[in-house]
Structures are given as C-alpha cells and as structure tokens.
Amino acid sequence: MTDLPQHETLKGTFNPKAFLARAEAGKTIGKYGKNQEIFAQGQIADSVLYIQKGKVKITVLSEHGKEAVVGIFTQGQFFGEACLDGAPLRTATSQAMEDCLITSLTKAAMLATLETEPKFSAFFVAYLLARNSRIEDDLIDQLFNSSERRLARLLLLLANFGKEGGAPPVAVTLSQETLAEMIGTTRSRVSFFMNKFRKKGFISYNGKIEVHSSLLDAVLRDKPQIKEDE
C-alpha cells in the first residue's frame, strides 16, 4: 500500500511542487537562517535538497585551505544530487545566503519517486538539462570572455534577468570577493568594473547591488561599454 495521500495516487494528479512542499516519510522540510550551514564538505551524502525559498551558496575547500564559491542556487533548484550517482561524501559545503526553506529527500525516497512518478521524473530531468546548459555556458564564458563581460553576465544571472516567467529583477547581495571568485579574477578588478558599471548607469548601490536593464542591453548589443580587458 502506498504512503502517498489518496488524491496523489490517482493517475495524472501528481504535482511535483506540491509533493516537494509537504513533509512525509523520507522527506523533511527545514528552515535555515542566513549564513547557516546546510551540509559540509566531507559529510555523508545521503539526501537531495530542493530550495522552496531563499538562496544557497556552494563552496569548495582545497587541500591547501583555499575556499572558492562554485555555485549559487535559488528557489526552484535542486542541489546535493551527486549522491544519486553513487558519491558517498559531499564534495562541497552548502550555506544559506538568506532565510531559506529547504526540502530534504533521502536518497531512497528520491530514487523511489523518480521510478514511480513520471511527472516528477520529467520535472527533475528538466532541471538537470537546464543546469547542464548553464554549466556549458559558464565554461564558454570562462574560456572566451573577458573578466568584465563575465562579471556583467554573472550580475544579470544573479538578478534574474532572462528568467522564465518574467520575474522582476532582484538585488544582488554578494560581496566583491565572492563575485571575483565566481568569475576567476581579483577583487580589485571587480571593484574597477563595478565602479565603471555604476558610472555608466548599469548598476546602482543602495546597500545591495541593483542591476538595471541597460547592462543587459549593453551585453546583447555587444557595444564598446562591455569590452575586452585582457
């Protein structure tokens, strides 16, 4: 006998987001405050996590003690799914960047749901495909674009420009050090470019970084405002 509520055992009625928003066997809902650790590098990898609300930072610590930001995840995204591919330990640390509401599914519960619920499988595969495309775009960006253009693209992504559903832009709260780590340059270069963007009206500061559509226009039109620096 299935543990799912009766209305979800009926064919065609399964709702992935509703399923992820509800705690039940093999699935818990947790609240995390700003800067709170969710899991740490080296811990046992036994669950997949889904962000209902908030933003999560993923960092990796090298053998020499150097920490680097390797990803920022937001509402509607999964993380920690490497356990499904047999990874026994977490290869990175995750930390809440703001108040977060996160669903945690045990590896067994995740695999069982993927096997029994086609709609959930399609939902998860769509996420993985979108993430894979983003990784490919990031690699191309890193290989072929200047650090100035990489910063512009990162700011636009973090501010939700181009996100499906026409969501309004959001303020960027990352430090210049973190932005520098994410695009592979120095803090001084980021500071230089940020001042340049501000003077040109692409961004503004008000405790947070407000990204304006003029930055997107400059990138799309490939005008001299965003040019090679290296």
Side-chain angles (χ1 to χ4, degrees):
M1 186 71 178
T2 179
D3 291 331
L4 288 174
Q6 185 177 0
H7 73 276
E8 288 208 354
T9 64
L10 299 176
K11 186 176 181 180
T13 62
F14 185 86
N15 184 314
K17 291 186 178 180
F19 167 75
L20 289 165
R22 185 181 59 251
E24 56 191 23
K27 181 157 48 76
T28 58
I29 311 295
K31 293 182 179 180
Y32 297 84
K34 183 177 181 180
N35 297 327
Q36 185 175 351
E37 185 178 274
I38 301 167
F39 60 69
Q41 186 173 334
Q43 289 182 343
I44 294 175
D46 57 1
S47 61
V48 178
L49 299 101
Y50 175 81
I51 305 173
Q52 292 192 47
K53 178 183 177 183
K55 190 176 297 183
V56 173
K57 176 173 65 174
I58 307 296
T59 60
V60 172
L61 189 67
S62 74
E63 295 180 356
H64 303 291
K66 180 177 176 57
E67 185 179 76
V69 177
V70 296
I72 302 292
F73 292 82
T74 60
Q75 181 176 326
Q77 295 185 309
F78 292 88
F79 64 103
E81 70 275 8
C83 67
L84 300 178
D85 194 36
L89 302 175
R90 300 293 188 190
T91 58
T93 295
S94 60
Q95 183 181 54
M97 298 179 65
E98 57 192 33
D99 289 343
C100 291
L101 185 65
I102 294 176
T103 301
S104 176
L105 300 92
T106 65
K107 178 180 177 179
M110 185 73 178
L111 291 173
T113 307
L114 288 171
E115 182 178 355
T116 59
E117 297 293 348
K119 286 188 176 181
F120 185 76
S121 296
F123 180 76
F124 186 61
V125 168
Y127 161 76
L128 292 179
L129 291 174
R131 181 175 173 185
N132 185 65
S133 295
R134 167 69 186 275
I135 291 172
E136 290 181 354
D137 289 343
D138 287 346
L139 179 58
I140 292 170
D141 190 43
Q142 194 75 20
L143 290 173
F144 298 112
N145 287 332
S146 67
S147 54
E148 182 178 6
R149 185 176 289 277
R150 294 199 302 271
L151 176 61
R153 175 176 177 270
L154 177 60
L155 290 174
L156 290 167
L157 288 170
L158 292 173
N160 281 350
F161 278 93
K163 192 171 184 179
E164 290 184 6
V170 298
V172 178
T173 57
L174 298 185
S175 67
Q176 291 188 0
E177 289 86 353
T178 298
L179 291 171
E181 289 177 5
M182 294 185 71
I183 65 171
T185 190
T186 63
R187 182 194 175 283
S188 61
R189 293 299 283 169
V190 168
S191 179
F192 173 80
F193 297 137
M194 294 288 280
N195 286 327
K196 180 178 178 180
F197 293 167
R198 180 177 53 80
K199 290 177 181 178
K200 290 183 176 293
F202 296 159
I203 64 173
S204 60
Y205 294 102
N206 184 21
K208 300 178 180 180
I209 304 169
E210 303 287 344
V211 181
H212 305 313
S213 60
S214 54
L215 180 59
L216 178 61
D217 293 338
V219 170
L220 291 177
R221 289 200 298 259
D222 197 23
K223 287 193 172 183
Q225 292 100 322
I226 307 294
K227 61 184 180 181
E228 295 295 323
D229 66 286
E230 299 166 337

